[in-house]
Amino acid sequence: MLDQDMMNKIASGNGFIAALDQSGGSTPKALKGYGIEDGAWNNDEEMFGLIHDMRSRIITSPCFTGEKVLGAILFERTMDGQAGGKPVPQALIERGVVPFIKIDKGLEDEANGVQMMKPMPELDTLLKRAKALGVFGTKERSVINLANREGIAAIVKQQFEVGAQVLAAGLMPMLEPEINIKSAERADCDQILLEELLKALDAMPGDDKVMLKLSLPTKSGLFDPLVDHPRVLRVVALSGGFSRPEACVELAKNRGIIASFSRALLNDLRHQMSDDEFNASLGQAIDEIYTASTKKAG
């Protein structure tokens, strides 16, 4: 796929984006969910080797193709690795799946009800390397816990600043200001974030577009103005702690928004499964998430 083919697929394709970018502190939890307990590795290299094996198994599964999976978000080590004897971005592209990379380095401590992204001093180097490997876009996550407008405005400002850096490197930024779905102020967070995102989108120079990865709103259809905004290529949703059935029900209530699920995609996969069992389980998850992304309630 050429860049324009990938752009068209992400902009208007039927399907969803798989999030395969667990990193750092979330890796042991992901491995445990996959049936590999703590103590199965001796150091970080072995741990990341095990998670890479899991991701390779997913990427090379017969059901993991561009027919229903539009894109996949990778951890940096996954991007640098191989699947089926090929560099992972190339393996994805050959399956019709558009590669993205997670670029943030984790979260700062909470202030003003939010957690900003940590500094990324080597971002330009990473972007250049990703571009050379055929990666189409990036993803960057920060977290909103409380309905504090100052904090939410700061998160949006940081997200768009990093997004501008990504665009300058010739890649598509996926901005992810996640709202904690367990927040007691979640509905107010949704509204403030919508307002701040619209202001930032309206103020964007030139004619570049960005993607948005958002928590599913408490009020169905609240993010319609973002779906329709001329500067937004696509709005995708994270599962954010919802089970797959819950996430799919909520997703189907929101037109124009497709999934970018991680846990809700991988929940039922186990290291101990035979290839037939693994592929059947993954295929069922893909089918459910595809349906919620493409067939909307009402």
Side-chain angles (χ1 to χ4, degrees):
M1 286 186 287
L2 301 173
D3 278 0
Q4 190 58 50
D5 295 329
M6 291 195 274
M7 182 80 77
N8 293 341
K9 180 155 200 158
I10 295 300
S12 57
N14 282 327
F16 68 95
I17 296 173
L20 307 177
D21 58 333
Q22 303 91 349
S23 62
S26 62
T27 302
K29 187 175 180 181
L31 284 171
K32 186 170 185 179
Y34 185 49
I36 299 177
E37 295 293 336
D38 289 352
W41 59 88
N42 295 311
N43 51 47
D44 282 355
E45 286 302 314
E46 290 184 10
M47 178 183 74
F48 285 120
L50 290 168
I51 200 80
H52 183 77
D53 289 345
M54 180 189 81
R55 290 168 179 155
S56 296
R57 196 177 185 189
I58 293 165
I59 290 165
T60 57
S61 173
C63 59
F64 197 87
T65 71
E67 183 182 352
K68 293 181 178 178
V69 183
L70 300 179
I73 306 168
L74 307 172
F75 178 47
E76 183 179 348
R77 284 174 179 253
T78 310
M79 177 188 78
D80 291 333
Q82 297 208 334
K86 298 172 183 176
V88 169
Q90 181 187 336
L92 288 170
I93 290 169
E94 289 181 5
R95 288 174 160 267
V97 178
V98 177
F100 292 78
I101 180 176
K102 167 189 163 74
I103 57 172
D104 66 85
K105 300 300 181 186
L107 302 170
E108 301 277 19
D109 292 337
E110 183 176 322
N112 289 329
V114 303
Q115 289 175 274
M116 304 276 283
M117 293 181 286
K118 290 181 177 177
M120 295 171 250
E122 299 174 1
L123 180 55
D124 284 333
T125 302
L126 174 59
L127 296 174
K128 187 175 181 180
R129 191 155 52 82
K131 181 74 172 172
L133 287 167
V135 170
F136 170 75
T138 63
K139 190 211 78 167
E140 56 192 70
R141 173 178 175 264
S142 41
V143 174
I144 297 165
N145 293 311
L146 298 172
N148 181 309
R149 186 172 292 272
E150 181 183 351
I152 294 173
I155 270 199
V156 170
K157 181 173 184 288
Q158 184 188 41
Q159 285 277 348
F160 275 81
E161 286 172 350
V162 175
Q165 194 174 347
V166 172
L167 285 165
L171 294 163
M172 171 59 59
M174 185 189 300
L175 314 183
E176 185 184 11
E178 174 183 348
I179 292 173
N180 182 347
I181 64 165
K182 295 178 181 175
S183 171
E185 302 176 1
R186 185 175 153 214
D188 291 334
C189 290
D190 288 344
Q191 185 62 42
I192 296 170
L193 178 62
L194 171 64
E195 293 165 6
E196 294 298 328
L197 285 172
L198 288 171
K199 282 193 283 188
L201 289 164
D202 290 343
M204 280 180 66
D207 56 4
D208 286 321
K209 295 175 185 274
V210 298
M211 294 175 66
L212 300 174
K213 180 167 178 173
L214 306 174
S215 303
L216 288 159
T218 52
K219 180 183 175 184
S220 302
L222 181 71
F223 293 152
D224 284 359
L226 300 173
V227 172
D228 297 334
H229 200 284
R231 308 308 293 275
V232 176
L233 183 70
R234 202 86 190 243
V235 180
V236 306
L238 57 112
S239 49
F242 283 126
S243 68
R244 184 165 69 244
E246 290 170 330
C248 287
V249 166
E250 293 302 313
L251 177 62
K253 296 175 184 176
N254 291 275
R255 72 163 179 87
I257 301 180
I258 63 173
S260 177
F261 293 171
S262 174
R263 275 170 292 181
L265 172 64
L266 309 178
N267 262 355
D268 297 336
L269 302 179
R270 298 294 180 270
H271 170 69
Q272 297 84 354
M273 286 176 166
S274 69
D275 286 345
D276 285 347
E277 290 170 334
F278 183 92
N279 294 332
S281 182
L282 179 60
Q284 181 179 343
I286 287 172
D287 287 347
E288 289 175 18
I289 297 168
Y290 173 84
T291 298
S293 296
T294 58
K295 293 181 172 63
K296 298 300 182 177

